[in-house]
């Protein structure tokens, strides 16, 4: 079989093409497992700082245009050896995913909707001109890695094992072009609450249109590192102004898009007097979050209020606040699950969001339902058993 496809493949995996070579994805059945023989001490789940502790092993798969994918390896965690001209270091030709493994109340380890992460990773790979792969094969390799590292999955329902699949261009060339070499790797990190304030304490936001997270025709709907690195400067300014996160605005009408690295939800009485849960639409500047999709599907299944993917501007929000129509506002993402919002600093004024005064009933309900599924308190087809 020919190897080395550089097609912009669809989410289902590589399809090749009539005039293009067809790639052969790596196979989980070919996985070479040579795990660590010395082991680090497992941390106390209650004292974990997000993304600072890593497990003993990692998954790596190399790719080149000339020979395609090599066999996947599970091996001791180690530093990468990269040529200083690698395209990922100069032009941010790279992407990542974020997912978690949870130790359930029944002792079983579960992944939450991992196929959605694999779908999104493939879309990001196409956008970054990185090689495509079979998403089911990668998911099985990840499952095997978590199985090897199962003792690292915290024995706690307020902690989890964060999974970071990463794909980087490694071609030693300063040319701005598709890379002819790449490395896919997966590292694992036991994590507690994402925010230092705790798992369900409200956050304050700074909204200023002078910084933009993403734009039409850009890469805001893909999980590329460049989207995140360029946001740190604005995040620093938000902290200097006494806020914890940035509320990203877009356009002359100051559309509300995302909050920090999370999708955003507004539960309110809309302009027509309807009880509504609203979130910005997937128009190319919004990341299609797994938690976002799950919240929308749960809300539509409940059928108790209107559920909309619609544009919301700051003028819409300020008018609703003045008329006491806002019930709750919260962020949602893999790292935090659900995060209430209590304040927005906008145009020099602090806008109070009455999320906590209203329970927050809806945000708490989503958090409870999602964590019940993740930690095995509720059976669901959304989870994949690891062991």
């Amino acid at each position: 079989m020919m190897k080395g496809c550089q097609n912009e493949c669809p989410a289902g995996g590589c399809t090749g093409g009539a005039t293009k070579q067809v790639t052969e994805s790596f196979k989980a059945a070919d996985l070479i497992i040579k795990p660590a023989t010395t082991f680090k001490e497992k941390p106390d789940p209650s004292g974990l700082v997000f993304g600072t502790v890593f497990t003993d092993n990692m998954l790596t798969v190399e790719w080149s245009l000339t020979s395609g994918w090599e066999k996947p390896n599970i091996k001791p965690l180690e530093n990468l050896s990269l040529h200083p001209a690698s395209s990922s270091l100069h032009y941010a030709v790279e992407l990542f995913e974020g997912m978690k493994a949870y130790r359930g109340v029944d002792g079983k380890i579960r992944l939450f909707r991992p196929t959605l992460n694999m779908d999104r990773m493939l879309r990001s790979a196409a956008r970054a001109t990185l090689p495509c792969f079979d998403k089911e094969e990668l998911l099985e390799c990840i499952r095997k890695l978590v199985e090897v590292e199962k003792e690292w999955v915290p024995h706690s329902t307020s902690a989890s094992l964060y999974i970071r699949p990463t794909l980087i261009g490694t071609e030693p060339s300063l040319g701005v072009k598709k890379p002819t070499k790449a490395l896919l790797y997966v590292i694992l990190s036991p994590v507690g609450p994402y925010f230092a304030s705790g798992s369900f304490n409200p956050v304050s936001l700074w909204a200023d249109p002078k910084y933009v997270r993403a734009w039409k025709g850009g890469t805001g709907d893909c999980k590329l590192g460049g989207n995140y690195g360029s946001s740190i400067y604005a995040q620093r300014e938000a902290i200097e102004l006494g806020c914890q996160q940035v509320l990203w605005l877009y356009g002359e009408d100051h559309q509300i898009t995302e909050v920090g690295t999370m999708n955003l939800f507004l539960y309110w009485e809309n302009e027509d007097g309807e009880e509504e849960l609203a979130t910005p639409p997937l128009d190319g500047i919004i990341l299609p979050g797994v938690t976002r999709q799950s919240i929308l599907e749960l809300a539509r299944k409940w059928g108790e209020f209107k559920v909309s993917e619609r544009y919301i501007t700051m003028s819409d929000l300020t008018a609703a606040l003045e008329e006491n129509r806002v019930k709750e506002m919260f962020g949602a993402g893999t790292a935090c699950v659900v995060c209430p919002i209590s304040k927005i600093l906008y145009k020099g004024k602090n806008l109070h969001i009455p999320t906590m005064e209203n329970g927050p009933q809806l945000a708490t309900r989503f958090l409870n339902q999602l964590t019940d599924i993740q930690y095995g308190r509720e059976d669901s087809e959304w989870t994949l058993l690891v062991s």
Side-chain angles (χ1 to χ4, degrees):
M1 182 179 285
M2 292 183 293
K3 303 177 182 179
C5 171
Q6 283 211 322
N7 295 348
E8 294 184 3
C9 304
C14 186
T15 59
T19 61
K20 299 181 180 179
Q21 290 183 315
V22 178
T23 191
E24 181 183 6
S25 179
F26 53 88
K27 306 290 185 186
D30 296 332
L31 191 59
I32 299 166
I33 304 177
K34 294 182 179 178
T37 54
T38 57
F39 307 105
K40 292 176 284 195
E41 186 178 348
K42 309 297 186 294
D44 180 347
S46 64
L48 289 168
V49 176
F50 187 88
T52 59
V53 176
F54 298 94
T55 68
D56 297 307
N57 296 284
M58 67 191 298
L59 170 73
T60 64
V61 201
E62 294 188 20
W63 175 90
S64 69
L65 183 61
T66 54
S67 55
W69 288 104
E70 304 296 335
K71 291 183 178 181
N73 286 267
I74 290 176
K75 61 184 183 181
L77 182 76
E78 62 183 11
N79 292 338
L80 302 181
S81 178
L82 295 177
H83 191 282
S86 293
S87 52
S88 57
L89 301 178
H90 294 267
Y91 308 122
V93 183
E94 58 81 53
L95 61 96
F96 68 95
E97 263 304 322
M99 48 202 289
K100 287 180 175 178
Y102 307 84
R103 188 179 298 277
V105 292
D106 54 1
K108 295 177 181 177
I109 297 170
R110 294 170 174 83
L111 304 179
F112 180 73
R113 310 196 77 175
T115 57
L116 296 181
N117 295 96
M118 298 297 97
D119 290 342
R120 188 171 63 188
M121 189 169 179
L122 277 165
R123 290 194 299 268
S124 297
R127 186 66 173 86
T129 69
L130 285 161
C132 48
F133 50 86
D134 187 305
K135 63 185 181 183
E136 292 180 2
E137 297 294 340
L138 176 57
L139 180 54
E140 178 59 15
C141 288
I142 291 172
R143 194 190 69 78
K144 291 275 190 183
L145 177 63
V146 175
E147 202 169 51
V148 168
E149 299 287 57
K150 60 187 177 185
E151 292 308 314
W152 281 92
V153 183
H155 292 259
S156 167
T157 54
S158 60
S160 55
L161 185 66
Y162 186 78
I163 305 168
R164 174 55 67 91
T166 309
L167 180 56
I168 63 174
T170 57
E171 179 181 354
S173 169
L174 296 179
V176 183
K177 60 187 179 68
K178 290 181 181 181
T180 60
K181 289 187 175 182
L183 173 67
L184 191 160
Y185 65 90
V186 182
I187 53 177
L188 308 176
S189 174
V191 296
Y194 183 71
F195 298 109
S197 58
S199 59
F200 205 60
N201 290 324
V203 295
S204 56
L205 310 179
W206 175 55
D208 192 309
K210 71 178 179 177
Y211 298 121
V212 179
R213 190 198 80 90
W215 50 90
K216 297 288 176 67
T219 60
D221 58 345
C222 296
K223 213 160 175 67
L224 308 185
N227 296 344
Y228 295 79
S230 59
S231 73
I232 296 170
Y233 188 83
Q235 170 67 16
R236 187 188 67 174
E237 191 164 335
I239 291 170
E240 289 173 354
L241 291 167
C243 300
Q244 290 158 288
Q245 292 286 322
V246 177
L247 177 59
W248 299 103
L249 306 179
Y250 180 76
E252 294 184 4
D253 56 351
H254 297 182
Q255 292 172 25
I256 295 170
T257 63
E258 295 192 8
V259 47
T261 59
M262 300 179 285
N263 293 120
L264 180 130
F265 285 87
L266 174 64
Y267 180 47
W268 68 338
E269 184 181 307
N270 69 17
E271 304 90 338
D272 299 321
E274 301 168 303
E275 188 178 348
E276 179 182 56
L277 178 68
T279 192
L282 300 180
D283 62 354
I285 66 171
I286 302 295
L287 186 75
V290 175
T291 309
R292 174 190 183 277
Q293 182 173 331
S294 302
I295 285 173
L296 288 172
E297 290 177 15
L298 284 175
R300 286 169 178 149
K301 180 184 174 184
W302 296 340
E304 298 170 15
F305 42 78
K306 186 176 183 178
V307 181
S308 302
E309 295 174 69
R310 53 161 287 182
Y311 294 106
I312 308 161
T313 65
M314 283 303 297
S315 60
D316 293 334
L317 178 62
T318 52
L321 286 168
E322 289 169 3
E323 296 164 13
N324 295 316
R325 291 189 284 111
V326 175
K327 300 175 185 288
E328 299 177 35
M329 198 171 184
F330 52 91
T334 297
C336 68
V337 188
V338 176
C339 179
I341 295 162
S342 59
K343 185 186 83 169
I344 299 173
L345 176 58
Y346 177 62
K347 292 184 175 179
K349 294 183 180 178
N350 282 315
L351 304 178
H352 176 69
I353 312 298
T355 306
M356 302 310 286
E357 290 89 325
N358 286 310
Q361 291 183 3
L362 190 62
T364 302
R365 187 176 173 189
F366 282 127
L367 178 68
N368 289 343
Q369 176 109 49
L370 290 170
T371 53
D372 280 351
I373 292 170
Q374 290 163 348
Y375 290 100
R377 290 184 290 259
E378 179 181 322
D379 288 333
S380 172
E381 61 184 18
W382 284 357
T383 59
L384 174 68
L385 278 178
V386 172
S387 63

